[in-house]
Amino acid sequence: MEVSYQRKVNFYETDAQGVVHHSNYPRYFEEARGFFLENIGFPYHRIREELNIDIVLIELSVKYKHPLFFGDIFNIETKFNVENRYFFYFEYQVVKNSEIVSTGRTRHCCIDRQTRKIVPIPDLLV
Amino acid sequence: MEVSYQRKVNFYETDAQGVVHHSNYPRYFEEARGFFLENIGFPYHRIREELNIDIVLIELSVKYKHPLFFGDIFNIETKFNVENRYFFYFEYQVVKNSEIVSTGRTRHCCIDRQTRKIVPIPDLLV
Amino acid sequence: MEVSYQRKVNFYETDAQGVVHHSNYPRYFEEARGFFLENIGFPYHRIREELNIDIVLIELSVKYKHPLFFGDIFNIETKFNVENRYFFYFEYQVVKNSEIVSTGRTRHCCIDRQTRKIVPIPDLLV
Amino acid sequence: MEVSYQRKVNFYETDAQGVVHHSNYPRYFEEARGFFLENIGFPYHRIREELNIDIVLIELSVKYKHPLFFGDIFNIETKFNVENRYFFYFEYQVVKNSEIVSTGRTRHCCIDRQTRKIVPIPDLLV
């Protein structure tokens, strides 16, 4: 399953090189993950509140091929993969005008919000 | 009482106009407030944990006279004022090379971290 | 003329008090201004490139009445006002579930992108 | 050569999970790189202005082992490595109380600020 999230570059996301600062891509990915979870009917704030679970990000990688500029409209194509009972990851392609400008991957697990201990991936995500 | 906090502009704080984005000044002010509270012997994380209080920001104003650039070293001169039993404010002067480049003011109150209700300013701040 | 911009709170905009950090409101206002300029047919990146003008923010004020939380959907009602030949301002109301949770105001002028000198407000904005 | 950069967690860097949001680590790494370049006598704003070069980040990876909290003081141990005539990378260890809480790596090249074309690594960095 792949979900596509559309976004426009805000001015405050640019830097003095005139392009989107690299630290915003993890934030774009977070938005795309949120959109993905909404699409499968379980928005993250419901996961937090109803299941008492925080989704924790434990690994992040990004490859930057081409820059994004202020005002650009781009899409993030997001895929979800289960690794095992505890770990899962998302893969992202940032696409502008049909060209892949960046790719990324984030690895996650779930923790109990009170104990902060790792718990199995909730069934609704598997 | 006035406390001076020194800071250097990070690259990620600049925008495509080549200057520090205006939204970073409230963050600089927060750092300066934190430094002020440390200077009077009560860092904010101790206020949060020992007094069970969150300091809430309820008003913010900033005047931008001259820009800050990447690599600039500047100072924030911070003053603290009590308004009444519940409200207080900080005033800031952002100074670069003896010139005031920006001024600001933030108004605050204290709330109980559990009930989220307003509580009187703790004695140690008055 | 008033333009309403809808937005959802991202997780990365929250802080350890569990609410949207106050420094994000100036960023929301910037998005709302951008949306306003698009609505009148002249998006900011075109102003920058075609008129060779940067819109500079010279004053900012915000009043925070009620917090915003992760996942909240809110609107920013934006009004534009000309002060004189050189200065103009925007006024914002942040509205969640028909309640005003925050208000703000930003004052601006236009500068030439090369000389960085102030220039009159372009006709299309007046 | 290894350079250690000390930093304190700002409140605005935390999120509603009560810890530093993962998107701030790339910003911490940028600060640590800047500190490294200063330590070898060539701060980045001089590289930009005197050599007319932008250092571009083309790959980023981070592993998050333990969280950072508001008020934490931590160090980033930074190493620099040349890959070949065009590419180089930095490696980072985020250390709190003698424990590694996070590691990261960024890969870079240099571009001409006007043409935006890749250029060889300047001699002073090799």
Side-chain angles (χ1 to χ4, degrees), chain B residues 7-8 10-13 27 30-31 38 44-45 48 70-71, chain D residues 7-8 10-13 27 30-31 38 44-45 48 70-71:
Chain B
R7 181 64 150 77
K8 187 185 232 170
N10 293 313
F11 189 73
Y12 61 77
E13 291 160 347
R27 300 183 168 198
E30 184 179 276
E31 293 181 35
E38 267 179 39
Y44 182 45
H45 63 268
R48 296 194 83 210
F70 171 53
Chain D
R7 182 61 152 78
K8 186 185 233 169
N10 293 312
F11 189 72
Y12 62 77
E13 292 160 346
R27 300 182 168 200
E30 184 179 275
E31 292 181 36
E38 267 180 37
Y44 181 46
H45 63 269
R48 294 194 84 210
F70 172 53

Side-chain angles (χ1 to χ4, degrees), chain B residues 17 64, chain C residues 44 54-59 88 107-111 116:
Chain B
Q17 290 189 0
Y64 304 85
Chain C
Y44 182 45
D54 270 345
I55 297 181
V56 177
L57 188 152
I58 51 181
E59 285 182 36
F88 55 98
R107 192 166 171 254
H108 304 264
C109 66
C110 295
I111 61 168
R116 311 301 287 172

Side-chain angles (χ1 to χ4, degrees), chain D residues 66-83:
Chain D
H66 300 289
L68 289 170
F69 298 90
F70 172 53
D72 277 356
I73 292 169
F74 61 95
N75 277 69
I76 303 186
E77 323 284 353
T78 306
K79 277 189 216 168
F80 171 77
N81 288 287
V82 172
E83 189 179 310

Side-chain angles (χ1 to χ4, degrees), chain B residues 20-32:
Chain B
V20 170
H21 191 266
H22 64 270
S23 64
N24 290 301
Y25 289 70
R27 300 183 168 198
Y28 294 159
F29 295 164
E30 184 179 276
E31 293 181 35

